[in-house]
Amino acid sequence: MPREHYGVAHKLKKHLSSGAGRPEFVHVGLMGHAGVGKTTLARSALAELARDGLTPVYIRSLEAFDQGDFVFSDLMLVVAEAIIRELGGLQLEVAGEHLEAVRGWFADEILIATHSEQILGSLEVSADAGVSVPFLAAFAAKVTAALKSDNEYRREIRRRTERDPAALVRRLNLLLDAVHKALAPRRSKLCVVFDDLEKMNPALVDGALLARAPEFRQLRTNALLFFNPSCEYSPYTTPASRAFTCINMPVLPVRFPGDAPDIVRPEAANAIAQLLQHRMALDAVFTDPSACIHALAHWSGGHIGDIMMIARRAVENVEPDKVEVTDIENAGRWLGGRRTSTLRPSDFARAVEIHKSHRILDTDQDRRMLKNSCILPYDGIEWWDVHPGVRADELFLEALREARSPG
C-alpha cells in the first residue's frame, strides 16, 4: 500500500513499542471504516511487535457483546474472560492465590448464589479443578455469555458490577498484574485488541467506552481499539481522539484534493493491482486488467473491502467468462444500491452538499452516512466525498441537478 497506508503501520508500531521514556501501557485507537484493512494491517504490525514481547489478546467485538445493548461493565468482564482464556494458550504459571481471587470475584461478587451454582452445575470441567485455568476459563465464558442477551442474570450482573466501577477496574487490574508478573521472565506484556468494534452501534460504543475512557485508561494493559470515523467526526458525546491516542486509516488515495470525480491516481491503481495479484491471476479474470483495475479503483472509492466485493460480484455475474469494465460498473452500481438503501430521502441533498464542499458536519445525518460508508475520507487529510456508488444513484443525480438549477 502507498507508504504503508499513510504510515499507519509505522505509527501503530511506534505507539505500541516498549522502550525507555515510553509509558508502561498505552491505549490506542485505530480509526477507519469497516473493510479498509485495519485488521490485516494491525495483525501484521502486532506480529512484528510480538518479537519484541507484545502479546496480543483478540476480542471479536461482534461476537463478544450484545450488539443492541452493552455497557462499560460488560467490556471489563469480556476483557477478563479473554485474558483468562488466553492463559492456557500462553502456558503461563499464575500463582494459585491469584486464580483463587479471580474465582471469588466471579463466583461470589459478580453472581448471585443461584446463578453461580447453576454455572458450576453446567460445567464440563470438574469442580475438583477448583482454581485451575481451564475451570476459570469455562466459568468466565459462562458469565460473559449471559451478557449477550437481556435476561435476569445480566441485569443482576450489571447491577453488581456497575455500582462500584472503581472496584471493577481494580479487580481486573489485579488479574492483569498477576498475568504480567507471570509474563515478566519472557519480557512480554499484553495488548488487548478490540477487533470489529467499529462495526458496533456508535451510540453504544460512545456510552460504554468513549464516555468512560478515564476509567478504561486505568487498566494496566496495552489496548488497541477500532473506531468508526463517526466516533471522531460526529460523536455522540466524546470524540475518539479526546478519549484515546488515535491513528486515522483512510481509504486508498484514488483521488487528491482538486481531482475530478473520475480521476484515479496511478499509485492507487498499482496498489490495487498488487492486492488483487495475491488473490487471482489478473489476465485470467479480466479482459483488460489495467482498465478493469481503474474501474475497480473508481467504483470502490479506494475502500479495500468494496474493491473485493465489487470484483467478486462482477466475477459471479459473468463466470465462466472474463470480466469486462461494464461488468465492474454494473457491480459498482449494485454496491451503490446497497449503500443508498441506508439513506433517507432528505439525505441526498445533504450528500450533494458534501460532494461540493468536501466537508462533513457533526450532525445525526452526517453520522449516519459515515457509519454506513456512504461518505469516505479520500486521503490523509480531512477531505471527504460521497461514495462513488451513491453518486451514481439516480436520487443523488436528481438532487445534484436541483442544486445546480437556478432559483
Side-chain angles (χ1 to χ4, degrees):
M1 298 302 162
R3 296 188 61 185
E4 284 193 292
H5 220 114
Y6 299 107
V8 170
H10 173 74
K11 293 175 185 175
L12 192 57
K13 287 181 280 190
K14 179 180 177 181
H15 282 298
L16 292 173
S17 295
S18 59
R22 296 183 181 276
E24 184 177 11
F25 300 111
V26 295
H27 306 102
V28 179
L30 185 56
M31 190 158 49
H33 289 283
V36 297
K38 295 187 301 301
T39 298
T40 300
L41 187 144
R43 285 183 178 270
S44 176
L46 290 168
E48 291 186 38
L49 290 167
R51 294 194 287 268
D52 298 324
L54 196 69
T55 300
V57 177
Y58 289 96
I59 294 173
R60 295 185 176 91
S61 300
L62 290 174
E63 300 174 10
F65 304 111
D66 180 351
Q67 296 181 39
D69 178 14
F70 68 96
V71 297
F72 177 73
S73 61
D74 296 359
L75 284 171
M76 297 297 97
L77 294 178
V78 165
V79 169
E81 187 274 331
I83 291 169
I84 295 168
R85 174 168 28 90
E86 193 71 15
L87 290 178
L90 293 174
Q91 297 182 332
L92 287 179
E93 293 292 334
V94 177
E97 62 266 25
H98 296 309
L99 297 179
E100 175 58 34
V102 174
R103 186 211 62 77
W105 175 33
F106 272 84
D108 302 331
E109 297 181 29
I110 294 175
L111 303 177
I112 59 175
T114 302
H115 192 195
S116 181
E117 291 169 1
Q118 288 179 345
I119 290 179
L120 285 172
S122 68
L123 292 180
E124 295 181 4
V125 180
S126 170
D128 295 335
V131 293
S132 71
V133 169
F135 177 82
L136 281 180
F139 195 97
K142 291 284 187 178
V143 173
T144 54
L147 302 175
K148 297 179 186 179
S149 61
D150 186 23
N151 56 75
E152 61 177 303
Y153 293 131
R154 181 171 80 172
R155 291 189 289 272
E156 183 62 27
I157 291 169
R158 287 181 176 178
R159 187 185 69 80
R160 287 174 167 239
T161 52
E162 286 283 354
R163 65 188 174 191
D164 191 350
L168 177 63
V169 172
R170 185 167 58 252
R171 276 295 199 180
L172 181 50
N173 274 334
L174 289 175
L175 170 62
L176 289 166
D177 290 345
V179 174
H180 281 125
K181 183 178 180 179
L183 283 170
R186 307 181 188 181
R187 300 182 182 275
S188 183
K189 290 183 179 179
L190 298 177
C191 180
V192 180
V193 183
F194 287 84
D195 197 3
D196 289 335
L197 193 64
E198 82 283 9
K199 299 175 184 177
M200 304 290 285
N201 184 335
L204 294 176
V205 174
D206 181 272
L209 178 57
L210 295 174
R212 307 288 294 270
E215 296 155 289
F216 187 95
R217 290 197 301 266
Q218 294 176 35
L219 292 183
R220 292 194 285 271
T221 183
N222 298 295
L224 177 60
L225 308 113
F226 292 3
F227 294 119
N228 187 281
S230 63
C231 291
E232 170 68 10
Y233 299 101
S234 189
Y236 283 87
T237 63
T238 307
S241 63
R242 188 184 301 169
F244 302 100
T245 298
C246 283
I247 301 169
N248 185 38
M249 186 165 177
V251 295
L252 289 174
V254 295
R255 292 166 57 199
F256 287 172
D259 285 346
D262 58 347
I263 288 291
V264 171
R265 289 279 172 168
E267 56 267 45
N270 290 337
I272 292 170
Q274 293 176 35
L275 175 72
L276 294 177
Q277 283 171 350
H278 290 291
R279 292 165 171 79
M280 62 183 72
L282 300 183
D283 289 332
V285 174
F286 302 117
T287 56
D288 184 342
S290 178
C292 287
I293 287 170
H294 185 283
L296 282 169
H298 167 71
W299 283 98
S300 67
H303 188 294
I304 293 176
D306 288 356
I307 292 169
M308 303 309 299
M309 190 179 299
I310 292 170
R312 188 179 303 114
R313 178 75 176 188
V315 169
E316 290 173 351
N317 284 344
V318 301
E319 62 183 354
D321 296 332
K322 288 187 178 182
V323 173
E324 299 183 2
V325 169
T326 54
D327 301 318
I328 293 173
E329 292 175 353
N330 291 335
R333 294 179 188 279
W334 165 81
L335 178 62
R338 297 186 62 173
R339 292 285 191 272
T340 56
S341 67
T342 67
L343 300 180
R344 300 170 183 173
S346 60
D347 291 341
F348 290 95
R350 174 61 191 144
V352 168
E353 293 175 1
I354 294 170
H355 176 57
K356 295 171 69 176
S357 68
H358 303 301
R359 296 175 58 191
I360 56 174
L361 300 175
D362 183 3
T363 65
D364 290 341
Q365 194 173 34
D366 286 13
R367 182 186 303 120
R368 188 174 61 256
M369 288 192 281
L370 276 172
K371 176 181 178 293
N372 294 306
S373 299
C374 293
I375 307 170
L376 300 176
Y378 264 73
D379 61 11
I381 62 173
E382 295 175 14
W383 181 77
W384 304 82
D385 203 352
V386 179
H387 192 289
V390 176
R391 296 202 311 265
D393 189 274
E394 182 55 39
L395 290 175
F396 177 88
L397 296 173
E398 181 180 347
L400 184 62
R401 289 191 292 268
E402 290 178 359
R404 289 172 175 170
S405 63

